[in-house]
Amino acid sequence: MKECIEGQSLALQRGAAYGISAIIKGSGIAALKKFDVVKRLEDACTSGTPSNKEGSLFAIELCCSRLGILFEPYVIVLLPALLKAFSDSNDHVRSAADKTVGLIMSNLSGHGVKLVMPAVLQAFDETEWRTRVASIKMLGNMSHCAPKQLASCLPRVVPKLTEAFSDTHPKVKKSAEQALEELCKVIKNPEISSISTTLLKALTDPANGTTRALEALISTEFLHSIDAPSLSVIIPVVHRGLRDRAASTKRYAALISGNICTMVNDARDFVPYLPILIPDLKSTLIDPIPDVRSISAKSLGSLTRGLGEATFPDLRPWLIETLTSEGGSSVERSGAAQGLTEILVASGAQLTEHVMRNEILPLKSHPKAGTREGVLWVLTFLPSTLGQGYSSLIDESLPALLSGLADDNETVREVALRAGRVLVRSNGKAHKDKILPALEEGLSNEDYRIRVSSLTLLGDLLSMLGGTKVSKGSGDTQDDIRQAERAQAQIALVLGNETRKRVLSSLYLSRSDTAAIVRQSAVQVWKTVVSVTPRTLREILSELVDQVVSSLASGDPDRTQVAGRCLGDIVQKLGDQVVPEIIPVLRDSLYRGDEYTRQGVCVGLAEVIACSSKEQIIKFLEILVKVVKDALCDDAQEVRKMAAECFQSLYQTVGARTLEEIVPSLLVGMESSDDAAKTRALNGMAGILSVRSRELLPFIIPRLLKSPISISHADGLSSISAVTSETIYLHFNAIIPTLISEVSSFHGVELSEKEKSREQSIRSCSRAVCHNVDGAGVNWLISEIASKCTNDKVSIRKESCWFFQIVIEERKETADFYEQLPIILRDLLHRLNDDSAVVLKSTHDALQALTTCVPAEELVTHLPFIRNLIASMVSEARYRKGGVGDGQFFLPGFNMAKGLEPLLPIYQRGILYGDAAVRETAAAGLGELISITADKFLAGPFLIKLTGPLLRIVGDRNPSTVKIAIIKTLGLILQKGGPALRAFVPQFQTTFVKALSDPSRQVRLEAINALALLMPLTTRVDPLIKELVSTSTGKGSNVAVEEAGMVAIQTATLEALAVVLRYGGSKVKLPESVPTSLEAGKELVVHEDEGIRESASKVIGYACELLGKDAANATIREMILDKGSSLGKSSIDVKHGTACIIRRLFSTSVGKEVDRSMYQNVLGMTQELMRDDSAVVRSAACAAIGAVLGSSTDIKSTLAVVEKSISNKMDPKEALEVQQAVASGLCITARLQPGLFRTKEALPLTNGALKLAMSGAQRVQFSYNDFLWLALDVQDGDGGLEEYLALAHFDQVKTMKPLYSKVLAKMKPVKDID
């Protein structure tokens, strides 16, 4: 070991190396471990001197040579050292490393190659360029491997070497070139050796050399098999070619890929390269260029044929997945289908049939269009590839083709047509008996796309059988005619005469198709195979007529229409020759066939008549008239409809003679006693009228309307209206009045069973007329009905309302009478004031139908019109001659069972969903309806139905006008409903109390009035009083922040508190409720605001009345008398408050119970206040003096005391408000002391009031009119007036009488000023 590693000469080192290898060979492989040989050699090779490295390399070389396969495990250990030696700076070391590696590679086994290769390849990826060079040299030395080992390693070696050509270091590139040259030296194929330079150029410079190398490979004629080294050079070039951009390069590479497997000596040498080639072939298989896809598919087929499908277990699944993928393009599916086709063909017929039947064809109805398209792409390529071997799959593939032709997706249809053409070209002649029936069936398919495609394929088949091409031009040239003649003869020879007739008949029938594209295609195919059309038609006439009749009887509207057109075309082309044959056939079919046949016969007859000349029709007119008349009278409606079109054609051809031949017999039939004959005649007449109504209706309508209308005439008019909807309304001026008159004739008459049946028929006829009329005639209809609503006869008015009802019900779906709703509403609402109960009932039913059939949102738009109309009606009814004037009035239409029900939905819709204006109108209008309806017709459930929506929306953010209307209506409901609304009391109370805080004064006033109406129903008053007291004193949570708002709310709350005490105080249960109210009044009666003082005084007055005389005396002493001495010096607020207390306290019943001494003091103070300088104080005192006077127990003496004071304040020079206050005070006196002012003692005051009532300002006049109304007790008649006149002087009498008759007698009752 020492001599080998450290020897001074090459000979010593070489000899020592021989000795080491011999000793180890002799003593056994264990000596390597025993003497640590490998470790010492590795150390010397990696870290010694150049001489040491060279000696160690000699030892490794000779050990490998002597020991052979036994030394392989140690090569892996020494490999890093060998790689490092390749990059040594000493030439001798590198030379020794080269020889050593060459010897190692030549002795490596297959397993050894697998062990060595990863380390070498890993070294190739190192960053040190010398290491990469060493790795490349070692890869190059693999050319010394045994052929078997060389074949296994080359698929990994050559690609790595080609990668080196892109390295940045020149020596790495040069090393790669040298390594490839070494590999090329072991190529045994002479043809490859001859072009090895070109191949190497392609590997070293792929951009410029790949195409030349592929061309060289294609142009080379191979006489020898390709060995593994040749493959290692060819495959990288092909791999690069398959990825090239140029289409020609990809074609060359794909072609070579498919051919290689036929030229290799051992297929196993080619298998390692498949992971490289197959992905590239998959990529070129879906290339956009068709040639590339085609060659790639064939290459895959060749590989499958050469290597077996088992070699590619994932290829067929991938192709099927690509074929059916929705995300892929049509190009990708086409390539996948082509590749799958080639693979299946290469795999044998049995596998092909299995895959098609079980995997491909079942996908023909897949929901994804891409999948269906993929199936059809397979059917496009498979027939031409299999040839006659495809015959077993024709029956299974035709349904897929036909369904594809009708597909919704345009791409699928295009591929299906392409597949069909391929099938026809490849198998048409040999298997025409299988293909032709399917194409014939496709010509009559419902889908026009299938018909177009079937025609295209039929044209291809016939042109192929006839040895010609489908005509693309006019087909009228001599060459075209000669070609068609030859084709026709050839087709007849191939198909046989019967089949030819059948096919040409179907083809000619398609020339009349409903789709233009089908007709165009049929004409092109016809011109291709038929030279002289009339001659051919005569030859196939019998078969063609059979097919036409069959299509006419099919029941399919499109086929029937096509057959009719075809029949007309035949008549045009053959004329007199064919009409005598066709008409009898059609006549017989009419009488023998079913409903569909009869329909088809009518269509055919219409076409024959339209296409025939007048002379031809006249020859057969007798037959045609009979046939058309029988068809018009058919039991089936569709047959009659078709017969009407036939009649129209006959009328247009022959003219009025048609009517003369048919109509009279039908009119006679309509009068027949035989019901069946009558029905048939009626059917026929209706059919004629559906097409010639303008000419016939003027003659038929008067006959049908002849009074009395019979059942048959009523039924006839019903049938006629169904077919003359666009013209019958022109005769409504005769029809509608007659029908109304007829149904009204049954009113109030005892009817027999026959008459009942006649009535029912006329009413059914009326409904039919209203239902069938065209939209343009609805306004005519409604105008005629409206004109009868005001008739003098009750029965006419009743039936006019019924007619409105049936118009609404029958036109519900069309909803074309909405523009006429104002007319309908006007006439129906006016009938609510009718004198007749039957008219009211009919009106109620009509209105009910209106609100049921017309959406509420539509009716709401007419709400202002409805409200104004009802208000106008009520006003007219009140003030017409004999009306009640301002008295109580109830509208008759509402004062019946459920009278308000029809209009309620309109108002509810407006209240709940309308805008502010609509809500106000709806709420106010609803209140008006309630006010003109008697209590007994406002049942509890009905009022509850009204109350809910109002309470629901009153709390919304509505304008004040809306709230006012709602609260007013709620007050009316409370008045009408009474105990039935007790369950709603909490909601009412909450709503009204909340409204007291509203910014609008009118809303607050309405809430106060509503609270007064609520009190009779309320059972728990105490919480309400507590809340109102709290709010009025400014302690409530809902008091507004602003001072102005607080004053307004306090005023409203005090007013409400007064109302609650007045109307609900008797229900108080807690002892502190009324006293707290009294204290609140005392606190606020001196408030700086005048309104609050007045309201507080009301609270004091009603609280004292509830608490009794002791509380009243205490209050008078505290609030009035204790201030007596200083009253003159007090503020206006105090004096005004005092006057207000006096007025309110003495206006109540407790005023007469007050201590009389206190009474006298109060009387004096009141007179003093009447002389105050402030008009406000004087006004309050003048009103108070009336209350004090009314509470007197000695009225005459008290009157004598105060008369002068009162008279002084009635001076016209006094302020107007003071004069009005005097009138108010006198009104209080008149209420408390009835009859006082008709006595001699009070006469001066009455006369003073009369004077002011005649000569004062207007508002003063009104105030004194009220007083005089109370003083003379006008409500109870003229007795009060007579008493006054008996006392008064002549002048006063002269003044009073006209005032009484013109003013006082006509006044509404004067309400309590509170």
Side-chain angles (χ1 to χ4, degrees):
M1 284 292 292
K2 187 175 181 181
E3 287 293 334
C4 179
I5 294 172
E6 299 177 0
Q8 298 300 315
S9 66
L10 179 63
L12 284 175
Q13 288 179 315
R14 190 75 178 170
Y18 273 108
I20 292 169
S21 61
I23 292 170
I24 295 172
K25 176 76 171 176
S27 59
I29 195 71
L32 287 172
K33 187 174 182 181
K34 182 177 179 180
F35 297 105
D36 203 13
V37 174
V38 174
K39 181 71 171 79
R40 293 170 68 185
L41 292 176
E42 183 183 9
D43 293 342
C45 190
T46 54
S47 57
T49 63
S51 177
N52 298 148
K53 294 177 181 178
E54 187 177 14
S56 64
L57 288 170
F58 289 155
I60 294 170
E61 175 190 353
L62 291 172
C63 284
C64 185
S65 175
R66 290 285 182 91
L67 299 177
I69 195 171
L70 295 174
F71 194 68
E72 272 188 10
Y74 301 100
V75 170
I76 305 304
V77 180
L78 297 169
L79 191 59
L82 292 171
L83 288 170
K84 192 172 182 180
F86 266 111
S87 59
D88 199 87
S89 58
N90 189 283
D91 293 339
H92 297 293
V93 175
R94 292 198 300 274
S95 176
D98 187 54
K99 289 180 180 179
T100 301
V101 170
L103 183 62
I104 290 173
M105 291 301 175
S106 62
N107 289 330
L108 279 179
S109 64
H111 182 67
V113 171
K114 291 180 181 178
L115 292 174
V116 170
M117 187 64 67
V120 177
L121 295 178
Q122 185 178 2
F124 182 82
D125 295 327
E126 292 290 333
T127 55
E128 176 61 39
W129 68 268
R130 287 187 176 87
T131 306
R132 296 202 300 277
V133 169
S135 174
I136 290 170
K137 287 184 177 180
M138 186 168 285
L139 290 174
N141 280 321
M142 284 189 175
S143 61
H144 299 291
C145 290
K148 186 176 181 181
Q149 281 73 36
L150 182 65
S152 67
C153 68
L154 284 178
R156 301 177 66 186
V157 170
V158 175
K160 276 295 181 183
L161 293 178
T162 55
E163 285 182 24
F165 291 121
S166 60
D167 199 276
T168 56
H169 202 283
K171 289 190 177 181
V172 176
K173 293 182 181 179
K174 188 173 181 181
S175 299
E177 290 179 12
Q178 292 172 353
L180 280 175
E181 288 173 0
E182 288 293 325
L183 290 175
C184 287
K185 290 177 183 178
V186 299
I187 293 174
K188 295 180 180 179
N189 184 287
E191 291 84 7
I192 298 297
S193 296
S194 64
I195 60 171
S196 61
T197 305
T198 305
L199 294 174
L200 286 175
K201 179 64 175 174
L203 293 173
T204 56
D205 187 11
N208 299 316
T210 300
T211 304
R212 292 193 189 94
L214 293 173
E215 290 173 346
L217 283 170
I218 288 175
S219 61
T220 300
E221 184 178 354
F222 285 91
L223 301 176
H224 302 83
S225 61
I226 298 176
D227 57 348
S230 301
L231 280 175
S232 68
V233 178
I234 293 172
I235 295 302
V237 178
V238 173
H239 172 59
R240 176 64 178 79
L242 288 171
R243 296 191 172 192
D244 199 85
R245 289 185 178 181
S248 58
T249 305
K250 287 189 278 191
R251 280 199 297 270
Y252 294 154
L255 184 60
I256 293 169
S257 300
N259 292 334
I260 285 177
C261 67
T262 62
M263 294 183 288
V264 294
N265 189 29
D266 187 352
R268 288 176 296 180
D269 293 342
F270 187 60
V271 170
Y273 296 100
L274 290 178
I276 299 173
L277 288 180
I278 293 301
D280 294 333
L281 285 173
K282 286 181 179 179
S283 178
T284 54
L285 188 63
I286 56 177
D287 193 85
I289 300 173
D291 284 351
V292 176
R293 297 199 301 271
S294 177
I295 294 173
S296 299
K298 290 178 180 177
S299 296
L300 287 174
S302 298
L303 291 174
T304 304
R305 195 176 291 107
L307 302 175
E309 194 192 13
T311 311
F312 315 97
D314 299 327
L315 183 58
R316 179 153 55 91
W318 176 82
L319 290 170
I320 293 176
E321 181 183 355
T322 306
L323 189 73
T324 59
S325 173
E326 187 68 19
S329 65
S330 184
V331 168
E332 293 174 358
R333 286 188 281 272
S334 170
Q338 206 164 355
L340 181 62
T341 298
E342 293 292 342
I343 287 175
L344 291 177
V345 172
S347 301
Q350 185 176 357
L351 180 64
T352 301
E353 292 183 10
H354 173 77
V355 171
M356 288 299 295
R357 290 191 174 106
N358 298 308
E359 297 185 35
I360 303 301
L361 289 176
L363 298 174
K364 67 178 183 292
S365 57
H366 196 276
K368 293 183 179 178
T371 302
R372 301 194 299 274
E373 181 189 346
V375 173
L376 293 168
W377 274 118
V378 175
L379 298 180
T380 302
F381 296 114
L382 195 58
S384 56
T385 307
L386 278 178
Q388 296 304 315
Y390 189 72
S391 60
S392 62
L393 292 171
I394 290 177
D395 293 335
E396 288 90 345
S397 61
L398 277 175
L401 280 175
L402 292 175
S403 63
L405 293 172
D407 200 276
D408 294 334
N409 188 281
E410 185 178 359
T411 307
V412 176
R413 296 196 299 271
E414 291 175 356
V415 177
L417 181 60
R418 184 172 179 174
R421 303 188 96 159
V422 170
L423 176 63
V424 169
R425 284 198 301 270
S426 60
N427 292 271
K429 283 187 177 180
H431 300 287
K432 59 182 180 297
D433 55 332
K434 292 184 177 181
I435 298 174
L436 195 57
L439 298 181
E440 287 183 78
E441 185 180 351
L443 291 179
S444 59
N445 195 281
E446 294 180 358
D447 196 310
Y448 81 94
R449 300 186 188 96
I450 292 185
R451 300 200 296 274
V452 172
S453 303
S454 299
L455 275 171
T456 304
L457 298 178
L458 181 61
D460 291 347
L461 180 59
L462 292 178
S463 62
M464 185 176 65
L465 295 177
T468 183
K469 293 182 179 179
V470 177
S471 174
K472 298 297 183 183
S474 63
D476 296 332
T477 65
Q478 289 299 320
D479 289 341
D480 291 336
I481 293 173
R482 281 194 293 271
Q483 287 181 6
E485 191 72 33
R486 288 194 298 271
Q488 191 170 1
Q490 184 66 26
I491 289 170
L493 183 64
V494 175
L495 296 180
N497 193 40
E498 293 301 320
T499 305
R500 169 182 166 271
K501 286 183 179 181
R502 189 181 72 247
V503 172
L504 290 181
S505 297
S506 300
L507 183 58
Y508 192 81
L509 202 57
S510 298
R511 289 177 45 146
S512 302
D513 198 273
T514 53
I517 188 171
V518 178
R519 297 196 297 271
Q520 184 179 358
S521 299
V523 169
Q524 289 179 346
V525 176
W526 179 266
K527 289 183 177 180
T528 301
V529 296
V530 173
S531 56
V532 182
T533 297
R535 183 184 68 192
T536 304
L537 282 178
R538 284 192 292 272
E539 292 174 0
I540 66 172
L541 186 60
S542 60
E543 174 65 27
L544 181 56
V545 171
D546 288 343
Q547 289 196 19
V548 166
V549 173
S550 175
S551 296
L552 288 173
S554 65
D556 184 342
D558 288 339
R559 286 187 64 189
T560 302
Q561 184 180 358
V562 169
R565 286 182 180 177
C566 181
L567 200 56
D569 190 45
I570 295 170
V571 171
Q572 280 184 330
K573 286 186 169 57
L574 300 181
D576 292 337
Q577 302 174 17
V578 72
V579 172
E581 297 182 26
I582 290 176
I583 289 180
V585 172
L586 294 176
R587 180 191 60 193
D588 296 341
S589 299
L590 178 70
Y591 295 127
R592 292 199 307 265
D594 59 7
E595 179 183 340
Y596 293 127
T597 304
R598 299 198 299 275
Q599 288 181 36
V601 167
C602 292
V603 173
L605 273 176
E607 291 291 341
V608 169
I609 293 169
C611 297
S612 300
S613 65
K614 185 174 181 179
E615 291 74 16
Q616 290 172 332
I617 296 301
I618 291 175
K619 287 180 183 179
F620 297 93
L621 186 60
E622 185 177 350
I623 298 174
L624 289 172
V625 165
K626 179 70 168 62
V627 171
V628 170
K629 191 181 90 168
D630 290 342
L632 284 169
C633 299
D634 198 273
D635 294 333
Q637 183 178 356
E638 287 299 320
V639 176
R640 297 198 299 272
K641 182 179 178 182
M642 300 295 181
E645 296 179 7
C646 186
F647 173 85
Q648 179 77 339
S649 298
L650 189 62
Y651 182 86
Q652 290 173 349
T653 305
V654 181
R657 185 176 173 184
T658 308
L659 294 174
E660 295 170 1
E661 294 285 344
I662 296 177
V663 173
S665 61
L666 293 178
L667 289 173
V668 172
M670 288 174 62
E671 302 295 334
S672 172
S673 58
D674 184 1
D675 290 341
K678 188 188 300 181
T679 302
R680 287 177 57 80
L682 188 58
N683 290 339
M685 187 62 72
I688 295 174
L689 285 169
S690 67
V691 292
R692 309 303 303 179
S693 60
R694 288 186 182 272
E695 292 84 352
L696 288 178
L697 277 179
F699 302 100
I700 294 175
I701 291 297
R703 185 184 293 256
L704 295 176
L705 294 180
K706 186 177 179 182
S707 183
I709 297 177
S710 64
I711 293 176
S712 60
H713 284 182
D715 294 342
L717 186 57
S718 298
S719 301
I720 287 171
S721 69
V723 296
T724 59
S725 59
E726 296 180 357
T727 55
I728 194 171
Y729 65 84
L730 299 173
H731 304 275
F732 275 170
N733 59 343
I735 295 173
I736 300 304
T738 303
L739 289 176
I740 292 177
S741 177
E742 285 291 320
V743 293
S744 66
S745 66
F746 300 107
H747 177 67
V749 179
E750 187 71 26
L751 299 178
S752 63
E753 289 299 323
K754 183 178 180 180
E755 285 296 287
K756 288 180 180 178
S757 300
R758 191 167 75 87
E759 180 188 12
Q760 186 60 41
S761 296
I762 296 174
R763 290 191 183 276
S764 299
C765 171
S766 302
R767 282 188 176 274
V769 170
C770 295
H771 178 81
N772 293 323
V773 65
D774 189 68
V778 172
N779 59 333
W780 295 53
L781 174 62
I782 291 175
S783 297
E784 287 296 331
I785 298 171
S787 67
K788 300 297 179 183
C789 282
T790 55
N791 196 280
D792 294 337
K793 291 184 178 181
V794 170
S795 58
I796 297 291
R797 298 200 302 274
K798 169 184 175 294
E799 299 305 336
S800 298
C801 294
W802 177 77
F803 256 81
F804 272 135
Q805 177 184 343
I806 63 172
V807 167
I808 294 164
E809 291 173 349
E810 297 298 326
R811 311 298 298 182
K812 176 182 178 181
E813 298 300 327
T814 56
D816 50 8
F817 62 92
Y818 288 178
E819 291 183 1
Q820 308 299 321
L821 280 176
I823 297 176
I824 297 174
L825 287 167
R826 180 198 66 196
D827 285 288
L828 289 178
L829 292 175
H830 273 298
R831 297 279 62 76
L832 292 174
N833 198 28
D834 202 278
D835 298 332
S836 170
V838 292
V839 176
L840 293 176
K841 180 65 171 64
S842 183
T843 304
H844 178 275
D845 294 341
L847 285 172
Q848 188 69 56
L850 184 70
T851 53
T852 302
C853 299
V854 180
E857 55 268 23
E858 174 66 30
L859 292 172
V860 163
T861 60
H862 301 282
L863 199 53
F865 173 75
I866 294 172
R867 183 189 176 195
N868 293 334
L869 187 62
I870 292 175
S872 174
M873 287 169 49
V874 172
S875 176
E876 181 184 354
R878 283 181 181 276
Y879 298 110
R880 68 187 176 188
K881 188 176 182 180
V884 297
D886 293 327
Q888 193 176 51
F889 173 78
F890 295 132
L891 192 65
F894 294 153
N895 289 272
M896 55 187 293
K898 298 183 178 179
L900 280 176
E901 285 282 356
L903 297 182
L904 183 59
I906 309 175
Y907 286 87
Q908 282 184 322
R909 178 78 187 189
I911 289 169
L912 290 175
Y913 304 108
D915 56 21
V918 172
R919 284 185 171 182
E920 179 186 359
T921 302
L926 188 59
E928 292 163 3
L929 297 188
I930 294 171
S931 67
I932 56 176
T933 305
D935 294 357
K936 67 178 181 178
F937 298 109
L938 294 171
F942 179 78
L943 287 176
I944 290 171
K945 194 186 301 184
L946 297 178
T947 305
L950 291 169
L951 288 173
R952 197 179 313 152
I953 64 121
V954 70
D956 295 348
R957 293 183 178 179
N958 291 308
S960 58
T961 53
V962 177
K963 291 182 180 178
I964 292 167
I966 293 173
I967 294 174
K968 274 186 176 181
T969 303
L970 287 173
L972 278 170
I973 291 173
L974 282 170
Q975 282 182 304
K976 297 281 187 177
L981 299 173
R982 197 175 297 278
F984 286 94
V985 166
Q987 293 94 318
F988 276 114
Q989 186 170 301
T990 302
T991 299
F992 298 152
V993 171
K994 184 178 179 181
L996 294 174
S997 302
D998 196 87
S1000 169
R1001 179 176 179 273
Q1002 191 61 37
V1003 173
R1004 298 195 297 272
L1005 291 177
E1006 293 298 338
I1008 293 167
N1009 294 333
L1011 271 174
L1013 297 170
L1014 181 64
M1015 285 302 100
L1017 302 179
T1018 304
T1019 56
R1020 300 178 68 240
V1021 180
D1022 298 279
L1024 176 59
I1025 292 176
K1026 182 178 180 181
E1027 182 179 357
L1028 293 175
V1029 168
S1030 175
T1031 305
S1032 63
T1033 54
K1035 299 174 183 176
S1037 58
N1038 60 344
V1039 178
V1041 177
E1042 296 84 356
E1043 185 64 25
M1046 181 180 292
V1047 168
I1049 292 171
Q1050 282 181 299
T1051 304
T1053 309
L1054 285 168
E1055 290 286 344
L1057 181 58
V1059 163
V1060 171
L1061 291 173
R1062 180 180 183 184
Y1063 295 104
S1066 60
K1067 299 180 182 181
V1068 170
K1069 295 178 181 179
L1070 298 179
E1072 69 273 11
S1073 295
V1074 178
T1076 55
S1077 302
L1078 179 59
E1079 292 303 318
K1082 291 178 180 179
E1083 178 183 342
L1084 294 172
V1085 79
V1086 293
H1087 195 277
E1088 62 184 13
D1089 182 76
E1090 180 182 343
I1092 291 180
R1093 294 196 298 272
E1094 291 181 354
S1095 300
S1097 67
K1098 291 182 183 180
V1099 173
I1100 293 172
Y1102 293 125
C1104 289
E1105 185 178 23
L1106 291 171
L1107 294 174
K1109 64 178 181 179
D1110 293 337
N1113 290 332
T1115 302
I1116 292 172
R1117 185 179 297 106
E1118 177 186 353
M1119 302 302 298
I1120 301 173
L1121 299 181
D1122 289 351
K1123 299 175 182 176
S1125 58
S1126 60
L1127 189 61
K1129 301 177 183 178
S1130 299
S1131 65
I1132 293 175
D1133 296 345
V1134 173
K1135 289 188 284 188
H1136 178 261
T1138 302
C1140 289
I1141 294 173
I1142 295 170
R1143 174 190 174 181
R1144 297 301 172 180
L1145 198 150
F1146 284 92
S1147 295
T1148 64
S1149 60
V1150 79
K1152 293 183 178 181
E1153 300 176 9
V1154 172
D1155 185 272
R1156 290 297 97 183
S1157 61
M1158 289 185 180
Y1159 176 83
Q1160 293 300 324
N1161 292 333
V1162 170
L1163 182 61
M1165 290 181 65
T1166 306
Q1167 288 179 297
E1168 182 182 349
L1169 291 172
M1170 290 175 68
R1171 297 189 292 271
D1172 195 84
D1173 294 335
S1174 170
V1176 173
V1177 176
R1178 292 201 307 276
S1179 298
C1182 287
I1185 198 67
V1188 175
L1189 177 61
S1191 299
S1192 173
T1193 55
D1194 185 4
I1195 189 63
K1196 291 184 179 181
S1197 60
T1198 307
L1199 180 59
V1201 174
V1202 301
E1203 179 185 343
K1204 186 176 181 181
S1205 300
I1206 295 173
S1207 298
N1208 291 339
K1209 298 306 174 186
M1210 294 172 72
D1211 188 347
K1213 297 178 182 179
E1214 184 63 78
L1216 294 180
E1217 59 267 27
V1218 175
Q1219 295 179 51
Q1220 285 183 279
V1222 172
S1224 298
L1226 292 175
C1227 287
I1228 297 171
T1229 306
R1231 290 183 185 278
L1232 294 175
Q1233 299 286 345
L1236 172 65
F1237 294 100
R1238 298 193 297 275
T1239 63
K1240 185 177 180 181
E1241 291 78 8
L1243 189 61
L1245 293 178
T1246 307
N1247 291 336
L1250 177 61
K1251 183 178 178 182
L1252 289 175
M1254 297 299 295
S1255 60
Q1258 188 177 45
R1259 56 179 179 168
V1260 175
Q1261 287 182 14
F1262 290 160
S1263 299
Y1264 283 97
N1265 285 341
D1266 290 345
F1267 163 67
L1268 290 174
W1269 190 91
L1270 292 170
L1272 300 179
D1273 199 9
V1274 177
Q1275 189 173 11
D1276 292 336
D1278 297 339
L1281 175 65
E1282 297 299 332
E1283 292 179 30
Y1284 171 76
L1285 295 178
L1287 297 172
H1289 296 294
F1290 176 78
D1291 291 338
Q1292 284 80 23
V1293 171
K1294 185 178 179 181
T1295 304
M1296 178 62 80
K1297 282 185 176 180
L1299 178 66
Y1300 185 92
S1301 60
K1302 293 180 180 179
V1303 179
L1304 300 181
K1306 295 181 179 179
M1307 283 175 56
K1308 294 180 181 179
V1310 178
K1311 296 180 181 179
D1312 189 345
I1313 55 175
D1314 286 339

